[in-house]
Amino acid sequence: MRKLLVAGNWKMNGSVDEAKALSAGLLAEISDGASYDVAVFPPFVHIPAVAAQLQNSDLIWGGQNLSAQAKGAFTSEISASMLAELGCQMVLVGHSECREYGHESNQLVAEKFKQALSVGLTPILCVGETIAQREAEQTESVVWQQIQAVIELVGMESLGQGVIAYEPVWAIGTGLTATAEQAQQVHQFIRSHLSENDDIIARRMRLLYGGSCNGSNANALFSMPDVDGGLIGGASLTVEDFMAICQQADALSNGE
Ligand code: PEP
């Protein structure tokens, strides 16, 4: 049985004080030993403040990106070991905003995935198609190429140590959510393709949905057999909105 994961990507928002207040608010609402996992991804410079709040709790924190290099003359970059030193357990790789604005290729994303694993971080590999690609019926080929690049570099066993987040680019921050059926269709495609490589890993891997997920649609999305939680952007920025999603995960995890 895969445990649901609700992950909040705070992107480039807020101040240190707001990050502290948000993490303290979540801490007050989410009990230790919850039936689902919760992770937050603050901006890099807010991580120490969030870590101070969340240490000794079950809540997970992580980075929104990392360097593909281990160390050295890479001005502005943040290494995997720097994140690990701040207590991060997870890191996002290949978010569509990094692919688009940072021109991150499938190959570079795969190298970042490898770096994350090298220090014991769990990478969340973000994949997804643009609206033009969907309309051209390229969703499956685009998503599979993004995953395949990682398998080619690190192998299936290592891919299985991460999480995959299917995030249709046209649904991110737009208020347009994939329907639960559309999400399930792509998740099922991913899982069945993974199982051609390794059925045990495919059945164990968590596949998150991301793209305008909120308290009103989370139940339908997370009820789908191959959707194991969500990567949440806008609705992760207030305790109230994020908890509305977490409550759905809680109810579903408890069979309600
Ligand atoms: C995201 O950026 O990962 C995301 C899913 O954003 P939003 O929920 O705002 O669409």
Side-chain angles (χ1 to χ4, degrees), residues 9 11 92 95 97 167 171-175 210-213 231-235:
N9 173 12
K11 308 195 186 187
L92 304 181
H95 190 280
E97 287 153 12
E167 300 206 292
I172 296 181
T174 58
S212 300
C213 184
L231 180 54
I232 320 297

